[in-house]
Amino acid sequence: MYSKEELQNGLRTHIFGKKISTYDSIDSTNACAKTLASMGAEEGTVVIAEYQTAGRGRLGRTWQAESGSNLLFSTIIRPTLEINKVGLLPFFAAAGAALALETVTGTRCECKWPNDVLMNGKKCCGILLESSFQHNVLDYAVMGIGVNVNQKLFDEDLKDWATSLIQECGREFDRRNVFHQIITSLELLYSEVKNGNFEIVLNEWKTRTTMFGKQVTLTQAGERLRGRAVALSADGGLIIATPESQRVCYAGDVTFARES
Ligand code: BTN
């Protein structure tokens, strides 16, 4: 793993990355960041690891990433937010990551609800946001970001929908540079988040999504909902129109119907 000094060298942020804990191997950077946050670690603290033995994904899944090729890190934030805005934080993380990955690679990224970042239709970055509340007030949130950077091979069950920067761009990337760009983009957008002003953040996300107006299937806990993706609700839900009604969905996986 890069040292803390190597990661901080040249980083011009004021909040994100001021404190960095590095690990060669850890269970999950999100789990570690949550422990640090619950002990009072300050906003912007980053936990980064070369390898995770129990990397967490959304909906209780695992996040697999080969050692030495990727970026696996989590950042603690403590914005003062109205409770109905907390669900917008994943869009902040996804928009920041997408902006940064575009800057680094020169390739357009797509944002897929709720918080995947895709390149040429395949996922190159996953985000897991875990929040903690005290008396109905957000105490902290941990933004876990996994970017497939220089990984060339994926397991059989992943290879149809997962990709990496090297696979899409045909060249290797300096992971420290990718990390710097993500941290910098996040800090840039964070000033809007802290003011509860998500308009700019959501616009960054919306300009990178192609799902609205399309027929989709949302799968959650074995249940399927088919309909047209209409818009985002004010609190980050996906509004799906079915012939009978409109539903606002807050969790699940979206797949697109095949165009005829
Ligand atoms: C997903 O797409 O399901 C979310 C994946 C999030 C993975 C990252 S890797 C760094 C951080 N630590 C974790 O345990 N998970 C997130």
Side-chain angles (χ1 to χ4, degrees):
M1 187 64 216
Y2 293 108
S3 70
K4 175 183 158 215
E5 290 71 28
E6 280 172 314
L7 290 170
Q8 283 175 329
N9 192 12
L11 191 61
R12 290 202 176 76
T13 49
H14 299 288
I15 306 169
F16 289 70
K18 283 281 145 199
K19 291 237 164 90
I20 301 185
S21 299
T22 63
Y23 294 86
D24 286 328
S25 178
I26 198 171
D27 52 355
S28 150
T29 58
N30 261 39
C32 177
K34 281 175 78 175
T35 304
L36 293 179
S38 66
M39 296 189 313
E42 63 196 62
E43 170 158 275
T45 300
V46 170
V47 178
I48 183 164
E50 194 65 293
Y51 185 68
Q52 297 184 126
T53 54
R56 298 179 185 173
R58 274 195 323 116
L59 306 173
R61 290 190 282 240
T62 55
W63 181 259
Q64 301 167 29
E66 161 186 298
S67 179
S69 308
N70 300 305
L71 275 176
L72 306 163
F73 66 97
S74 304
T75 306
I76 298 167
I77 51 172
R78 298 180 181 277
T80 308
L81 282 183
E82 291 164 40
I83 200 110
N84 64 350
K85 296 250 168 89
V86 174
L88 298 176
L89 288 174
F91 299 91
F92 154 60
L99 259 169
L101 295 180
E102 286 177 2
T103 308
V104 168
T105 62
T107 303
R108 188 74 174 162
C109 288
E110 191 187 324
C111 290
K112 183 172 172 225
W113 187 89
N115 40 19
D116 291 346
V117 180
L118 317 186
M119 225 174 236
N120 302 320
K122 286 181 161 187
K123 178 164 165 177
C124 62
C125 169
I127 288 159
L128 180 66
L129 211 125
E130 297 186 84
S131 309
S132 176
F133 297 85
Q134 280 203 353
H135 312 295
N136 250 357
V137 173
L138 179 69
D139 180 17
Y140 64 82
V142 163
M143 294 188 295
I145 301 185
V147 187
N148 299 329
V149 183
N150 293 322
Q151 182 165 334
K152 289 187 184 143
L153 295 174
F154 290 89
D155 283 354
E156 199 57 34
D157 54 328
L158 296 180
K159 72 179 188 350
D160 287 342
W161 56 269
T163 192
S164 57
L165 306 190
I166 195 171
Q167 273 193 339
E168 296 312 309
C169 306
R171 64 194 160 94
E172 208 165 292
F173 289 88
D174 176 351
R175 289 184 294 151
R176 210 173 60 106
N177 184 32
V178 181
F179 173 73
H180 277 195
Q181 277 298 339
I182 297 177
I183 288 288
T184 306
S185 297
L186 287 173
E187 184 155 311
L188 211 78
L189 290 178
Y190 192 54
S191 48
E192 306 298 336
V193 170
K194 273 201 298 194
N195 295 332
N197 175 16
F198 277 88
E199 215 177 286
I200 292 178
V201 172
L202 289 178
N203 274 342
E204 290 292 349
W205 190 88
K206 285 178 193 163
T207 54
R208 290 178 174 80
T209 195
T210 56
M211 67 193 312
F212 297 132
K214 287 199 177 141
Q215 286 297 124
V216 297
T217 302
L218 182 122
T219 313
Q220 195 210 351
E223 267 190 47
R224 283 169 170 219
L225 177 71
R226 286 202 178 86
R228 190 167 48 84
V230 177
L232 274 190
S233 66
D235 55 357
L238 177 63
I239 305 175
I240 297 185
T242 67
E244 299 81 37
S245 65
Q246 282 207 346
R247 290 256 302 268
V248 187
C249 305
Y250 291 95
D253 289 313
V254 171
T255 51
F256 297 98
R258 215 165 277 180
E259 312 255 340
S260 50

